[in-house]
Amino acid sequence: MGLASTILGFCGFGMGTSMGLVVGYYMFIYFQPTDVKDPDVRPLVEQDSQSLQRLMPEIPLWVKNPDYDRIDWLNKFLGAMWPYLDVAICKTVKTIAKPIIAEQTPKYKIDSVEFKTLTLGTLPPTFHGIKVYHTDEKELIMELSMKWAGNPNITVVAKAFGLKATVQVVDLQVFACPRITLKPLVSTFPCFAKIFVSLMEKPHVDFGLKLLGADAMAIPGLYRFVQELIKDQVANMYLWPKYLEVPIMDPSKLINTTAKNPVGILTVKVVRATKLKRKDLLGKSDPYVKLKLTEDKSSVQKTTVKHSNLNPEWNEDFLLVVEDPESQALELVVYDWEQVGKHERMGINVIPLKELTPEEPREMTVSLLKNMDPNDAQNEKHRGELVVNLVYKPFKKDDIPTGVEDPNAVEEAPEGTPAGGGLLVVIVHEAQDVEGKYHTNPHVRVLFRGEEKKTKSVKKNRNPRWEEDFKFMLEEPPTDDRIHLEVISTSSRLGLLHPKETLGYVDIYLSDVVKNKRINGKYNLIDSNNGQIQVELQWKPSS
């Protein structure tokens, strides 16, 4: 009976199971609940932004934000170079960390801290988009969206009190949005002097930490504490506007590649001229003096005109900014003013600045020559003499800028500037969309307080770049003044038809410059269709 009961039990179980499966399959196929509806299927273009975010949370920034560009080429580059970058980065990290560890370990009574293994793994970071900012400054600003889910193996061994502890970092994840700024931009490779790195938001950092072989992050509350601690510490150091500064170029080498800095002021007093030659047929001469420093076209200044006078007296003072007293010279040219036609040169001479003793006034009488060729026999003829008083005042070493300065910083005018006044610096950067009707060879004419300066001419260019600066030494702040800038095109061909053409002009009031010390912006040109000019103005007060 026992055997029969067992056999019948097995048969009953088998039949019951089979019948249950058949009935269940039949009910699943033919009996469906009435409250279940088919999902609403719509194309992606018809979904709202929130639905798309839920469906695809990992949409790259270049898809969601039109300001970001796609950079798959950079990810491919990193993928190919990662094995070599891994070794190079790890070597750099060890080199930087070694002196820092050696300095900090004695404070905590730790014998040694060493890297047992250091590798970033086989998975490189990926960049999901890049945004480039266009500014009027000499800088390049980029924002990157970076995500790195790596498999690094970082093992650190610490020894203290005769004990050894091993800490291992694994499964590192970093999501960050860094802003990288290259500035100032210079004309020497690699074309930027420094790199500034900031974080635009708190980074997401996740990793595994093994202490003595055990998962330390499994301790309740430790994972959240460590993660928030790292976020806060990194944010305190590098969250914008704070930044990490990385020097790229040697400041001593950069000085030679940029424009020369002023090192002193030359005070010139044009006293008088004697025994000048008669140039006018029906009268005497109408002399005036034009003076400038060599190697600096922007320093040209003029005296007043003395009509019908062969022994004129001016007693007029001028201030010239000196950049290199060893190579520069004061050029003095006497002209005969003409109401119609070109002014005729009456004589010329130069005074090398290296002949002057700093801070020592000196009166000099120079003979006027036809030209500066020492072999020209015509220079032996007497053309008159010019008397000038000169004082060269070099700046103190503390007033001379050195190294790589912040291009947005404006220092005070160096010592020697007139008390209560200052130095007005006008930097003509570039123009855009300037086009003449007959020719486009633009240069800029700068007019301030009756003093005129000009940039060089750029031939056949609608978007010329000059990068020229002009300095005006003033005895008082130009609060109520304005400066006139005019873009002019001059024909490169000889002819009387359309030799000169105005491409646009702008008047800039200087009250804001005096208040803010620096303004750099683009101005729409008047009498131009779409022309713009970028001008930087700096006011450096004497105190």
Side-chain angles (χ1 to χ4, degrees):
M1 291 297 293
L3 179 62
S5 298
T6 302
I7 294 173
L8 290 174
F10 276 111
C11 291
F13 174 77
M15 291 180 63
T17 302
S18 301
M19 291 179 63
L21 291 174
V22 172
V23 172
Y25 176 76
Y26 178 81
M27 294 180 66
F28 179 78
I29 296 297
Y30 293 99
F31 292 92
Q32 296 182 357
T34 57
D35 58 340
V36 176
K37 298 181 181 180
D38 293 333
D40 185 13
V41 179
R42 290 188 299 167
L44 289 177
V45 294
E46 298 181 4
Q47 302 284 348
D48 57 32
S49 59
Q50 294 182 353
S51 299
L52 287 175
Q53 290 282 4
R54 289 194 300 268
L55 291 172
M56 295 182 292
E58 296 300 323
I59 297 178
L61 273 177
W62 58 267
V63 176
K64 296 187 292 185
N65 193 330
D67 292 337
Y68 280 80
D69 296 321
R70 189 174 181 176
I71 46 174
D72 288 344
W73 64 270
L74 181 58
N75 294 324
K76 292 179 181 178
F77 172 80
L78 286 176
M81 292 293 295
W82 188 246
Y84 310 98
L85 290 172
D86 178 19
V87 176
I89 293 173
C90 290
K91 281 185 177 180
T92 304
V93 170
K94 288 182 179 179
T95 303
I96 297 175
K98 189 174 181 179
I100 298 176
I101 293 174
E103 181 183 355
Q104 296 295 327
T105 48
K107 298 180 181 180
Y108 303 96
K109 298 181 180 181
I110 299 175
D111 296 334
S112 65
V113 176
E114 298 178 350
F115 286 101
K116 183 178 180 181
T117 58
L118 178 58
T119 175
L120 300 181
T122 58
L123 302 175
T126 58
F127 293 91
H128 291 250
I130 182 173
K131 181 179 180 180
V132 180
Y133 289 86
H134 298 279
T135 68
D136 295 331
E137 309 296 340
K138 292 183 178 180
E139 62 184 9
L140 176 62
I141 302 177
M142 301 173 289
E143 284 186 10
L144 297 162
S145 174
M146 184 198 75
K147 294 186 178 182
W148 182 32
N151 54 347
N153 184 9
I154 304 173
T155 305
V156 180
V157 178
K159 296 180 180 179
F161 305 105
L163 302 176
K164 182 173 71 172
T166 303
V167 180
Q168 185 180 14
V169 178
V170 295
D171 300 330
L172 178 63
Q173 292 186 359
V174 179
F175 300 163
C177 183
R179 169 179 286 187
I180 300 175
T181 304
L182 311 179
K183 71 175 184 180
L185 301 180
V186 296
S187 56
T188 301
F189 189 81
C191 299
F192 54 90
K194 295 181 182 179
I195 299 178
F196 298 86
V197 181
S198 300
L199 295 175
M200 303 310 297
E201 57 188 27
K202 287 186 177 182
H204 169 77
V205 181
D206 189 6
F207 59 91
L209 185 65
K210 293 185 177 181
L211 180 62
L212 301 176
D215 187 4
M217 290 301 177
I219 300 175
L222 181 61
Y223 172 78
R224 178 68 61 183
F225 172 77
V226 172
Q227 193 177 47
E228 292 300 324
L229 179 64
I230 292 176
K231 282 185 180 181
D232 293 339
Q233 291 298 322
V234 174
N236 289 336
M237 292 188 295
Y238 303 121
L239 189 64
W240 192 87
K242 297 180 180 179
Y243 56 83
L244 170 66
E245 180 179 334
V246 182
I248 300 298
M249 297 185 66
D250 186 357
S252 61
K253 296 180 180 179
L254 184 65
I255 293 175
N256 297 327
T257 65
T258 57
K260 293 182 179 179
N261 292 311
V263 297
I265 295 176
L266 178 65
T267 302
V268 183
K269 183 174 185 178
V270 181
V271 183
R272 60 183 175 271
T274 59
K275 300 178 182 180
L276 298 178
K277 295 297 181 182
R278 187 190 305 270
K279 291 294 182 180
D280 297 338
L281 294 178
L282 301 178
K284 296 181 179 180
S285 294
D286 306 315
Y288 70 92
V289 181
K290 181 182 289 187
L291 60 155
K292 74 179 187 71
L293 292 175
T294 56
E295 304 177 11
D296 186 4
K297 296 181 179 179
S298 65
S299 64
V300 179
Q301 300 194 44
K302 295 185 293 185
T303 66
T304 57
V305 179
K306 300 297 182 180
H307 295 281
S308 300
N309 198 331
L310 298 180
N311 297 283
E313 290 195 12
W314 288 282
N315 291 312
E316 298 180 15
D317 296 318
F318 302 91
L319 297 176
L320 302 176
V321 179
V322 179
E323 295 178 346
D324 188 356
E326 293 298 320
S327 62
Q328 285 185 296
L330 175 63
E331 183 180 289
L332 301 163
V333 186
V334 181
Y335 285 92
D336 176 34
W337 179 83
E338 298 290 347
Q339 188 171 3
V340 179
K342 186 177 180 181
H343 300 181
E344 185 177 357
R345 191 165 73 179
M346 303 178 67
I348 183 175
N349 210 327
V350 297
I351 302 174
L353 299 187
K354 62 183 179 181
E355 295 182 0
L356 303 177
T357 303
E359 305 288 351
E360 183 179 311
R362 184 175 179 182
E363 181 177 295
M364 301 186 70
T365 302
V366 295
S367 299
L368 297 177
L369 308 174
K370 180 178 177 58
N371 54 56
M372 297 310 300
D373 184 0
N375 300 320
D376 193 339
Q378 296 189 31
N379 285 333
E380 298 179 1
K381 296 181 180 181
H382 183 74
R383 300 174 183 275
E385 293 179 338
L386 184 64
V387 180
V388 293
N389 289 335
L390 306 176
V391 181
Y392 170 56
K393 295 182 178 181
F395 299 147
K396 294 181 179 179
K397 291 184 178 180
D398 296 340
D399 295 327
I400 302 175
T402 58
V404 182
E405 301 291 333
D406 183 357
N408 299 339
V410 176
E411 68 277 1
E412 291 184 354
E415 185 176 332
T417 307
L423 186 68
L424 176 65
V425 181
V426 181
I427 305 175
V428 182
H429 289 294
E430 62 179 350
Q432 295 178 349
D433 297 327
V434 291
E435 186 173 6
K437 185 176 181 180
Y438 304 100
H439 42 75
T440 306
N441 306 309
H443 72 272
V444 179
R445 174 174 170 259
V446 181
L447 188 62
F448 178 67
R449 289 187 177 179
E451 190 174 346
E452 180 179 335
K453 300 179 185 293
K454 295 180 181 179
T455 67
K456 64 179 181 296
S457 179
V458 181
K459 293 185 178 181
K460 298 181 180 180
N461 198 324
R462 296 178 64 250
N463 300 292
R465 177 179 288 270
W466 294 284
E467 298 295 348
E468 296 187 31
D469 61 280
F470 307 98
K471 302 177 181 68
F472 300 89
M473 194 72 67
L474 307 179
E475 296 183 355
E476 69 279 337
T479 307
D480 300 324
D481 291 278
R482 62 181 179 179
I483 190 168
H484 178 83
L485 295 101
E486 185 176 4
V487 182
I488 300 174
S489 174
T490 306
S491 176
S492 57
R493 299 178 181 179
L494 297 177
L496 298 178
L497 292 177
H498 314 295
K500 186 182 294 185
E501 184 178 356
T502 299
L503 307 183
Y505 71 92
V506 64
D507 291 324
I508 304 174
Y509 289 88
L510 301 179
S511 56
D512 288 342
V513 182
V514 176
K515 180 180 179 180
N516 300 318
K517 301 297 186 290
R518 178 181 180 271
I519 290 179
N520 183 17
K522 292 182 178 179
Y523 300 88
N524 294 321
L525 292 172
I526 302 174
D527 291 343
S528 175
N529 291 332
N530 300 305
Q532 289 184 323
I533 185 170
Q534 182 183 348
V535 181
E536 180 179 347
L537 301 170
Q538 298 179 6
W539 170 244
K540 302 179 181 181
S542 58
S543 59

